[in-house]
């Protein structure tokens, strides 16, 4: 005599959670012979695994009663110190007490959006932007309005114009979400000149900036730029991650928020996961405070530099005219603009036949996924972080054939 | 020229995240000489730390490229197998493919509530209930309506009456949240006789049950009861946890949901943390699939049994007449009803002077925290999971003096 269970009448926000093409390609790309230019996984071959294993063993044996127990809601003191060290290495000193540790920086973003956005509120974001952020925004029923980019990143004039337009429509803008360094998916970096301007526009408009910075230490030449957080700590919420500089499988990230948001962040974090894995936090503490993590990062940077160069060379050699692409100076990604009228989904079908995968451009925009007007329909993202240079060259060659059709 | 940043105008849900007294007592209870009857931490002294350390070392050294990398959004196959083994050990066989791994079962609850509840929807829950669940419900702006318990757990007649009353008021009930085994905070177990009745009432009313079962394997005599999930897998969302049977610091839990909710759960999980710590998942896989975890759990059960007995004995010896308490057959907690007109906050003040802490009853109810009418005002929770028997006896003695005033 059961009636239909109520879980078939989900919350409005449930409709917002859509499959991530990045993760859905995982299975396809695991098939033998496939080359994946899809997922943005770091190359972990540089890690001293035996040493890390010995460290984990020591932590559990000597400090296991703490490392395997519930931990502080703000994060362990050691993990907060480690996050502060990483920020200092990038030229962004903060006090460890300002740091909220989370189970990955994805979760830090989720908490911030949870605390900021009521349904219908607007989040500004680069167009294109990180697909995982779009999932968070949709899940909290926030509407994304994209601000265009060029080779120097987010366009300040367009930002100003967008804010004015939305406000004249009576919309509530809750934040600008931006990835200033080696942006996902374009690989583009917001120029040093534009940073103070973007910060000033948002400060004047009373719009907080969510600065997502997982790739800041991954410049091919090791250089760094001042964070937006350094420029205006009272109006910038900074998100950091150990995933790209240590290991994503540990799931530890952090947020640095203005004072008034710190306690709410802690409470929301406790309500979501109680705390991040204490074992992971302790391992990161030992790795960052007790090893030459920057020397290891140098090796990773050299790998990514070589791989990006291989992709650029192969793109120049194989891609048909009419195709343009970004030239990243760091990070994991290159962004392609196909000839006008191209359909990235059709190219993907052909690419899968040729045993290469990438992420179609439409994944990185809010809006319709298909059809001639869909944003990103003639664009695509290539990741060069995980495959070696020869494989990448072969992948681009296959991609070029798929584009030619 | 900054205007007030918009984050000072938080989302409506931000007001729902309130401090957990359980976690706020942490610092007080860490002071020298203090006895904590507050936090529900498992005793990890039974764990074979050196062995676990060696396992972690082997995992990172031999499987580090996977265990430190991003993992599957549903959880690693090994962690899903381990969760299924734990459920089978409790008499609840499920297929591992039905299991969604999360970063602790707190997060599993958060995801389910996110997917089910729009603001203003009602969640039914035992009165009292788990304080961390109240945080999740408030964060998603769901309203909690309590259903009374007695020594056999949730009262089916009261459940039926509450559903009828709320529906006649036009309210939307989205779920019954229940902790059937060694309930937090009361230690009470829903009797075997009542389970089919509760399941039938909810099924008939089309109200899914969220069955939170972190303590089910912690009966002092090792016995188990059929889960609600076994009785009605199509209408029960089961939440499991490794925190109380392995280690909470790893932050791994799981959900088993009806088919239609599995994909939404995966997507919401990916949007929240991408995946749970892969290192933690792999360590749990090796521990549950490769060691005598049930033998170790036997030792833990013996500890908790001895401690609960010590608390019961001390309560009988020291507490003033007019005080009643629950007699748990497993789990971590005993619940006290003070004499009518008592104020648990006043008792807590006196207890802190006497260097003992507990969690006041008001923490476990939705509603006002202070004043004569506040639910739980004359109640309190004692945890016996972490301190040894002698310390517990001394703690209860101090508590008794605080109650006498």
């Amino acid at each position: 005599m059961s009636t239909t269970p109520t879980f078939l009448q989900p919350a409005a926000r449930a409709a917002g959670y859509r499959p991530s093409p990045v993760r859905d390609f995982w299975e396809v790309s695991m098939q033998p012979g496939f080359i994946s230019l899809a997922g943005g996984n770091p190359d972990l071959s540089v890690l001293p695994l035996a040493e890390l294993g010995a460290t984990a063993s020591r932590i559990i044996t000597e400090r296991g009663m703490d490392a395997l127990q519930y931990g502080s809601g703000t994060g362990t003191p050691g993990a907060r110190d480690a996050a502060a060290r990483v920020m200092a290495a990038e030229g962004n000193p903060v006090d460890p007490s300002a740091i909220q540790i989370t189970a990955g920086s994805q979760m830090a973003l989720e908490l911030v959006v949870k605390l900021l956005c009521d349904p219908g509120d607007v989040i500004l974001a680069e167009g294109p932007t990180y697909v995982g952020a779009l999932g968070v925004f949709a899940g909290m029923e926030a509407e994304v309005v994209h601000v265009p980019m060029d080779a120097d990143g987010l366009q300040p004039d367009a930002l100003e114009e967008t804010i004015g337009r939305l406000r004249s429509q009576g919309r509530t803008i809750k934040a600008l979400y931006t990835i200033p360094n080696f942006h996902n998916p374009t690989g583009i970096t917001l120029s040093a000149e534009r940073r103070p301007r973007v910060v000033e526009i948002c400060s004047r408009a009373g719009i907080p900036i969510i600065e997502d910075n997982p790739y800041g230490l991954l410049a091919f030449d090791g250089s760094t730029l001042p964070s937006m957080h350094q420029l205006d700590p009272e109006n910038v919420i900074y998100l950091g991650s150990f995933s790209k500089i240590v290991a994503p499988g540990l799931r530890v990230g952090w947020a640095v928020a203005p004072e008034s948001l710190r306690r709410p962040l802690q409470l929301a974090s406790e309500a979501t996961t109680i705390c991040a894995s204490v074992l992971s936090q302790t391992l990161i503490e030992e790795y960052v405070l007790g090893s030459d993590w920057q020397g290891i990062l140098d090796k990773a940077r050299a790998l990514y530099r070589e791989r990006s160069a291989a992709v650029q060379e192969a793109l120049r050699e194989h891609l048909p005219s009419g195709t343009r692409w970004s030239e990243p100076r760091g990070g994991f990604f290159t962004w392609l603009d196909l000839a006008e009228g191209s359909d990235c989904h059709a190219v993907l079908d052909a690419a899968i036949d040729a045993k290469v995968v990438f992420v179609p451009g439409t994944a990185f925009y809010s809006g319709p996924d298909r059809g001639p007007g869909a944003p990103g329909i003639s664009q695509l993202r290539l990741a060069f972080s995980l495959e070696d240079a020869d494989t990448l060259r072969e992948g681009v060659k296959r991609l070029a054939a798929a584009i030619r059709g």
Side-chain angles (χ1 to χ4, degrees), chain A:
Chain A
M1 241 341 144
S2 277
T3 56
T4 307
T6 315
F7 57 80
L8 296 175
Q9 301 151 25
R13 73 173 67 82
Y17 295 110
R18 291 186 308 171
S20 155
V22 176
R23 298 190 63 82
D24 278 0
F25 291 158
W26 188 295
E27 276 191 37
V28 171
S29 67
M30 288 294 126
Q31 291 169 30
F34 259 84
I35 297 175
S36 177
L37 310 175
N41 289 19
D43 190 325
L44 304 181
S45 66
V46 296
L47 289 177
L49 291 180
E51 239 174 83
L52 271 170
T55 304
S57 174
R58 189 164 40 76
I59 288 168
I60 293 175
T61 306
E62 294 173 11
R63 305 166 66 183
M65 295 290 282
D66 293 324
L68 299 178
Q69 190 54 274
Y70 288 112
S72 158
T74 50
T76 66
R80 296 169 98 189
D81 280 352
R85 292 274 188 107
V86 167
M87 289 186 72
E90 206 181 324
N92 302 315
V94 299
D95 192 272
S97 69
I99 287 169
Q100 170 67 47
I101 297 286
T102 55
S105 76
Q106 176 83 22
M107 180 178 148
L109 177 62
E110 213 264 348
L111 296 179
V112 168
V113 174
K114 240 183 212 170
L115 291 171
L116 289 182
C117 292
D118 288 307
D121 285 349
V122 171
I123 297 269
L124 303 174
E126 283 120 354
T129 192
Y130 168 49
V131 59
L134 290 175
V136 172
F137 303 147
M140 290 297 125
E141 299 174 76
E143 191 192 313
V144 177
V145 175
H146 291 292
V147 179
M149 308 174 70
D150 58 25
D152 285 325
L154 187 75
Q155 297 178 23
D157 292 343
L159 172 63
E160 212 160 16
E161 186 276 323
T162 305
I163 293 170
R165 177 168 49 82
L166 289 166
R167 289 203 164 155
S168 75
Q169 293 165 3
R171 303 300 303 273
T172 301
I173 305 171
K174 280 296 178 76
L176 166 67
Y177 170 76
T178 177
I179 308 162
N181 297 315
F182 320 118
H183 175 261
N184 180 359
T186 65
I188 289 170
T189 292
L190 181 64
S191 68
E193 295 69 35
R194 283 189 181 174
R195 293 181 184 220
R197 177 91 200 283
V198 170
V199 162
E200 196 266 339
I201 291 169
C202 287
S203 170
R204 195 157 26 85
I207 297 171
I209 296 174
I210 304 171
E211 178 179 27
D212 194 359
N213 188 29
Y215 310 106
L217 280 172
L218 294 177
F220 300 144
D221 65 1
S223 64
T224 58
L225 283 177
S227 70
M228 322 267 250
H229 182 261
Q230 277 300 110
L231 297 172
D232 190 1
E234 284 312 305
N235 197 43
V236 176
I237 301 160
Y238 179 99
L239 309 183
S241 172
F242 291 108
S243 291
K244 274 69 180 186
I245 55 175
V246 184
L250 298 175
R251 307 310 304 128
V252 184
W254 71 92
V256 184
E259 183 74 39
S260 63
L261 204 58
R262 287 181 200 163
R263 179 77 171 152
L265 261 180
Q266 179 193 338
L267 299 179
S269 178
E270 289 177 359
T272 304
T273 58
I274 302 183
C275 60
S277 163
V278 185
L279 176 60
S280 289
Q281 292 183 73
T282 312
L283 195 55
I284 281 171
E285 167 194 341
E286 298 257 353
Y287 182 72
V288 171
L289 306 184
S291 83
D292 179 24
W293 69 277
Q294 298 199 66
I296 295 163
L297 198 57
D298 281 339
K299 290 186 205 165
R301 270 195 291 259
L303 275 182
Y304 299 139
R305 180 175 58 233
E306 180 204 347
R307 290 169 183 182
S308 180
V311 164
Q312 293 288 323
E313 191 193 298
L315 288 168
R316 285 191 297 270
E317 184 177 341
H318 299 295
L319 255 66
S321 66
T323 313
R324 290 168 300 127
W325 55 88
S326 63
E327 296 176 28
R329 296 190 298 270
F332 288 2
F333 307 112
T334 300
W335 185 244
L336 264 68
D337 280 287
L338 305 174
E340 217 170 307
S342 301
D343 181 332
C344 59
H345 299 289
V347 174
L348 181 59
D349 289 341
I352 289 174
D353 287 342
K355 297 206 169 179
V356 62
V357 289
F358 58 82
V359 183
T362 50
F364 304 98
Y365 293 89
S366 173
D369 187 45
R370 303 274 164 166
I377 192 72
S378 66
Q379 301 177 306
L380 58 89
R381 187 189 80 174
L382 302 184
F384 51 77
S385 51
L386 199 56
E387 305 277 13
D388 65 33
D390 284 343
T391 307
L392 289 166
R393 274 186 278 264
E394 171 62 21
V396 170
K397 200 170 150 186
R398 293 182 191 176
L399 171 68
I403 291 174
R404 278 200 209 87

